Amino acid sequence: MSITFLHQAARGVAVSLALLSLSASIATAGNAEPKSRSASKAAKGNLRKVALSPDEQGEFANFSQWKNVADFIDEMVEKHGFDRAALEATFKKTRYIDSAVQLVKPAPPGKPKNWRAYRSRFVEPIRINAGVAFWDKYADALARAEQTYGVPAEIIVGIIGVETIYGRNTGNFRVLDALTTLAFDYPDTPNRDARMSFFRGEVENTLLFAREANLDPFSLLGSYAGAIGWPQFMPGSIRKFAVDFDGDGRVDLRGSPVDAIGSVANFLVQHGWKSGEPVAFPVTVARDETMRAWDMFIGQGLEAKFSLDELKGAGIVPTIEPPADMRFGLVDLQNGGEPTEYWLGANNFFAITQYNRSFFYAMSVVDLGRAVRTARSR
């Protein structure tokens, strides 16, 4: 969001909305625009003029004089044939976004995870009603995406609703400002080097995307983490997974909800979504502390890799019987001081976690999509 990325997982999306975006939409996380067909259309989407808040405007930093940025410019010149003077001028105009640095810092330790509280931020009347309106308006595009990619409309609706409340919160940070700040001045955290490398790659993708689409890179707006458009695709995800689903000759994830629909579906397929397969099944687990063999299945990664027999043998009991020939992972949704909720996640559940690496996020997408579908059928 798409799609693809980071988070200090649940926190990232939660702020993205409050943007995180993030993205949605992102940060998001999408705007992929090959050349527009007309000047009037180019004026839409990323190129629209918006009033930026002080947090979004940032401050002068003259990145062109930072040694790490100079090294990056050397690399872009050598690797991709960019003009050195033009890049130096670009980074001289790039601004430092302190709010982005503050927002990516890990949440304070000690507060227990609470699935029900998290879910309530996303599966609520505003998003459900907006989701019904979105589905009604773009029913044809959603049906076409489902037919083309095999991703149910409710999953696409769920992702766009969680990310940006159907385009309401796509973010107004200049993407190059936010990404450059995080690439070269990420806060001091245990994963700082990895995160700086990630964001440096996204600065590279932003400049490449802008060149490929013949855009001013400063026209790209998104979340504090650089996620763009209705589905909050990162620039790298735009280049890899975004599609021109409305057929106008360009990909525009900020200005075209139809492109967003197709791009979300394509992202999921490229990350393992299997048409016609289920997503998740509720289960119970043995609560006796002396019979916690199922505990070994907690924290085993974002992958469906265990057989049903293995899971049942450890005391995991499905309340709805899953297909015996599928693989699953145990999903634990912690509820603070209340009992944890458990599910068996199938392959398609873990495809959603590639959009945001959080069980809470993936289940919120599933639940919001289901709630919108139910409300729409009334």
Side-chain angles (χ1 to χ4, degrees):
M1 186 34 34
S2 89
I3 52 199
T4 254
F5 56 163
L6 35 137
H7 293 92
Q8 283 95 1
R11 183 176 184 270
V13 173
V15 182
S16 147
L17 323 163
L19 13 130
L20 171 120
S21 290
L22 67 240
S23 46
S25 336
I26 30 209
T28 129
N31 203 333
E33 309 199 22
K35 299 169 186 169
S36 67
R37 211 181 253 178
S38 69
S40 62
K41 181 150 189 184
K44 294 163 52 177
N46 279 327
L47 304 182
R48 66 182 181 179
K49 298 294 183 182
V50 295
L52 302 182
S53 72
D55 281 349
E56 293 166 333
Q57 290 172 2
E59 58 191 85
F60 178 72
N62 200 355
F63 280 112
S64 66
Q65 293 187 354
W66 291 31
K67 182 182 185 307
N68 288 345
V69 176
D71 292 342
F72 176 78
I73 290 173
D74 289 343
E75 181 181 327
M76 295 296 287
V77 171
E78 180 178 352
K79 184 177 176 182
H80 300 297
F82 277 85
D83 179 78
R84 183 182 304 278
L87 278 186
E88 289 173 348
T90 293
F91 283 109
K92 187 173 183 179
K93 293 186 292 183
T94 303
R95 299 179 71 81
Y96 185 93
I97 307 294
D98 182 67
S99 57
V101 175
Q102 302 308 315
L103 285 166
V104 297
K105 289 180 178 179
K111 189 172 182 179
K113 295 180 180 180
N114 191 314
W115 157 239
R116 290 174 190 162
Y118 181 97
R119 181 186 186 277
S120 69
R121 296 201 298 267
F122 300 99
V123 188
E124 46 80 32
I126 290 176
R127 275 187 173 78
I128 293 171
N129 292 335
V132 170
F134 175 82
W135 197 330
D136 286 346
K137 184 172 183 178
Y138 298 105
D140 289 346
L142 287 162
R144 182 160 56 89
E146 185 165 345
Q147 182 177 15
T148 302
Y149 296 102
V151 179
E154 67 188 75
I155 298 296
I156 301 170
V157 168
I159 285 178
I160 296 176
V162 166
E163 290 292 344
T164 58
I165 318 181
Y166 307 101
R168 294 185 190 182
N169 294 336
T170 58
N172 285 324
F173 290 88
R174 294 197 312 185
V175 166
L176 190 59
D177 292 345
L179 291 175
T180 301
T181 300
L182 296 175
F184 299 103
D185 196 32
Y186 198 86
D188 188 11
T189 61
N191 62 348
R192 183 175 190 261
D193 289 345
R195 299 319 295 158
M196 288 180 72
S197 177
F198 168 79
F199 284 110
R200 181 176 169 134
E202 291 302 333
V203 175
E204 178 180 6
N205 278 307
T206 299
L207 293 170
L208 288 169
F209 169 57
R211 184 171 71 177
E212 291 159 0
N214 195 27
L215 290 171
D216 176 355
F218 291 114
S219 72
L220 299 170
L221 303 179
S223 76
Y224 72 88
I228 302 169
W230 289 62
Q232 292 290 273
F233 272 26
M234 295 300 285
S237 289
I238 295 171
R239 296 184 68 227
K240 291 179 182 177
F241 308 116
V243 297
D244 173 20
F245 206 55
D246 64 11
D248 71 345
R250 64 198 281 257
V251 180
D252 178 7
L253 300 188
R254 192 173 174 98
S256 171
V258 174
D259 283 358
I261 287 167
S263 297
V264 167
N266 185 53
F267 178 94
L268 291 174
V269 168
Q270 297 302 321
H271 287 84
W273 185 277
K274 302 298 182 185
S275 178
E277 290 190 3
V279 176
F281 296 87
V283 297
T284 60
V285 298
R287 299 288 181 178
D288 188 334
E289 290 297 325
T290 65
M291 300 177 60
R292 290 178 61 100
W294 53 267
D295 224 8
M296 65 177 289
F297 296 105
I298 297 294
Q300 294 299 310
L302 303 179
E303 184 181 356
K305 55 187 176 183
F306 302 109
S307 72
L308 192 57
D309 285 344
E310 286 179 283
L311 295 159
K312 285 183 174 180
I316 299 167
V317 181
T319 57
I320 299 173
E321 190 66 17
D325 60 346
M326 292 183 65
R327 295 271 166 170
F328 302 93
L330 184 59
V331 174
D332 59 322
L333 304 177
Q334 299 171 42
N335 274 314
E338 298 299 315
T340 297
E341 187 176 315
Y342 294 95
W343 292 73
L344 291 185
N347 176 76
N348 285 347
F349 179 86
F350 291 103
I352 299 172
T353 66
Q354 300 309 303
Y355 209 103
N356 178 319
R357 301 173 68 83
S358 161
F359 288 169
F360 281 15
Y361 174 88
M363 194 60 73
S364 290
V365 164
V366 173
D367 283 358
L368 176 59
R370 182 184 298 122
V372 173
R373 182 194 65 198
T374 299
R376 188 170 179 261
S377 67
R378 288 173 185 157

